[in-house]
Amino acid sequence: MKIFQALWYAMKALARLAMIGLAMAVLGSGPAHATAVDKAAVPVTVQVEVLGKGRPLLMIPGLNSSAEVWRETCLALKDVQCHLVQLPGFAGAAPADPRPADFLPAMRDELLGYLQARHLSKVAVIGHSLGGVLAMQLALKAPDTIGPLVIVDSLPFYAAVMNPQATAQNVGMMAGQLREGLLAADEASFKARNDATAKALTRSTQHLPELQRWGRDSDRTSMADAMYSMLVRDLRDDIDGIHTPVLVLGSWAAYQSMGGTEASTRAQFQAQYAKLPGVQIEMSAQGYHFLMWDDPRWLQAQVRRFLAAHP
């Protein structure tokens, strides 16, 4: 089935900057729920676990991922108060009910509502993959609320990974076909493709079974809606409106076998972030997509230096 094959090709392409997560364990009195900025929008669906004391750091996982993906990073950082985000429908978390008409803007507004309800301003944000796209949208929507950004293996326009000629105007049909192909796939094929794709996303044998389980446990409609919402958004021009410091951490090692190099991957990142003022781009020498697992000391050192430079 051509659409099904295209779907998984797209997921592998997106995976280099986006995929997979687990249900969140909640400390203390239980999960905090975000309050939407627009109270007429979707009801509360985002869960946030607060861990530690110090400078607030909002930690957003990627597509199909659990908040748990950030726990090791959180515990390794010092003097930060981690706000670990669990997005609805991913890694066993309940899907939004009713489902939002557009996944990413709905999640953006819920997270802003959460921060505003707690009177947090200039909050540092770290986002992986789809979470990186959300981080950029947060900074564009609420510059007074959002502080320094760390974007982990994510791009402003994912569709260009698959087709350099893609635009927000012409990508809609392709994105719709991918969404329908994902929803139409039989369960056995879906699970097999999910488990195979996960192997390309991390070199950590310790975390691979967990990553595969997160994908299998994710609500497929939530996954499809989120993927579609991400594909049809082109932020390459919009990001010139982000005026907070931004650190982008990229990966390229998984593509060496296909001829990828650090220079060629860095060039792709630089092209997509060309209009973001003052962006700092760093490339991991050994990590795959899940840099927090594959190259943890490097990622943690990068985050520490960046946050210290932008108190």
Side-chain angles (χ1 to χ4, degrees):
M1 180 178 177
K2 290 184 177 180
I3 291 176
F4 188 59
Q5 291 173 339
L7 166 69
W8 289 105
Y9 171 79
M11 288 184 72
K12 285 187 176 183
L14 293 174
R16 73 170 299 225
L17 311 147
M19 305 252 165
I20 311 195
L22 147 83
M24 177 177 63
V26 180
L27 300 181
S29 60
H33 292 279
T35 302
V37 171
D38 177 0
K39 297 186 186 303
V42 294
V44 171
T45 55
V46 171
Q47 294 180 312
V48 182
E49 176 188 359
V50 180
L51 182 63
K53 296 181 179 180
R55 178 182 186 173
L57 175 63
L58 189 71
M59 309 184 82
I60 312 175
L63 184 68
N64 295 353
S65 287
S66 164
E68 202 68 23
V69 76
W70 283 123
R71 187 174 300 276
E72 293 175 25
T73 305
C74 170
L75 295 176
L77 298 174
K78 295 181 179 179
D79 302 320
V80 297
Q81 182 186 69
C82 303
H83 295 248
L84 303 176
V85 173
Q86 178 62 61
L87 297 173
F90 296 163
D97 183 18
R99 297 183 186 276
D102 196 346
F103 188 88
L104 285 176
M107 298 303 104
R108 175 201 64 196
D109 287 350
E110 287 202 25
L111 288 172
L112 288 176
Y114 169 81
L115 296 175
Q116 291 166 4
R118 283 149 187 79
H119 307 290
L120 298 173
S121 62
K122 296 299 180 184
V123 176
V125 180
I126 184 168
H128 176 235
S129 198
L130 177 141
V133 177
L134 262 176
M136 287 183 272
Q137 292 186 329
L138 287 167
L140 288 167
K141 179 73 177 287
D144 292 335
T145 301
I146 303 302
L149 303 182
V150 180
I151 309 297
V152 180
D153 219 25
S154 185
L155 292 175
F157 189 38
Y158 277 98
V161 176
M162 294 177 287
N163 177 11
Q165 305 305 315
T167 67
Q169 290 71 38
N170 67 24
V171 77
M173 180 177 294
M174 179 272 292
Q177 290 175 332
L178 293 178
R179 176 165 62 180
E180 293 306 313
L182 175 58
L183 294 174
D186 65 85
E187 193 65 23
S189 297
F190 174 80
K191 289 182 178 179
R193 293 287 186 171
N194 168 80
D195 290 356
T197 300
K199 292 181 180 180
L201 305 184
T202 181
R203 65 191 308 166
S204 171
T205 56
Q206 173 188 350
H207 291 100
L208 177 60
E210 185 175 37
L211 184 60
Q212 291 172 326
R213 184 175 73 253
W214 291 352
R216 292 193 299 267
D217 289 348
S218 290
D219 172 64
R220 210 188 300 188
T221 301
S222 299
M223 182 193 309
D225 289 347
M227 187 175 70
Y228 179 87
S229 185
M230 183 167 61
L231 280 173
V232 298
R233 275 185 170 73
D234 185 354
L235 300 179
R236 290 176 296 181
D237 290 336
D238 297 340
I239 55 177
D240 69 355
I242 296 177
H243 300 295
T244 192
V246 180
L247 171 65
V248 176
L249 303 178
S251 69
W252 65 276
Y255 300 90
Q256 283 182 288
S257 62
M258 296 177 281
T261 66
E262 180 179 355
S264 64
T265 306
R266 182 184 294 274
Q268 183 182 64
F269 275 78
Q270 289 173 333
Q272 287 232 356
Y273 285 100
K275 294 188 178 181
L276 180 54
V279 64
Q280 177 185 347
I281 299 174
E282 302 293 342
M283 305 299 298
S284 167
Q286 63 183 29
Y288 289 5
H289 183 51
F290 281 80
L291 288 171
M292 67 287 287
W293 292 340
D294 297 345
D295 203 355
R297 292 184 180 179
W298 177 84
L299 179 140
Q300 292 159 17
Q302 291 285 344
V303 173
R304 287 192 195 98
R305 281 195 295 267
F306 180 71
L307 293 180
H310 303 286

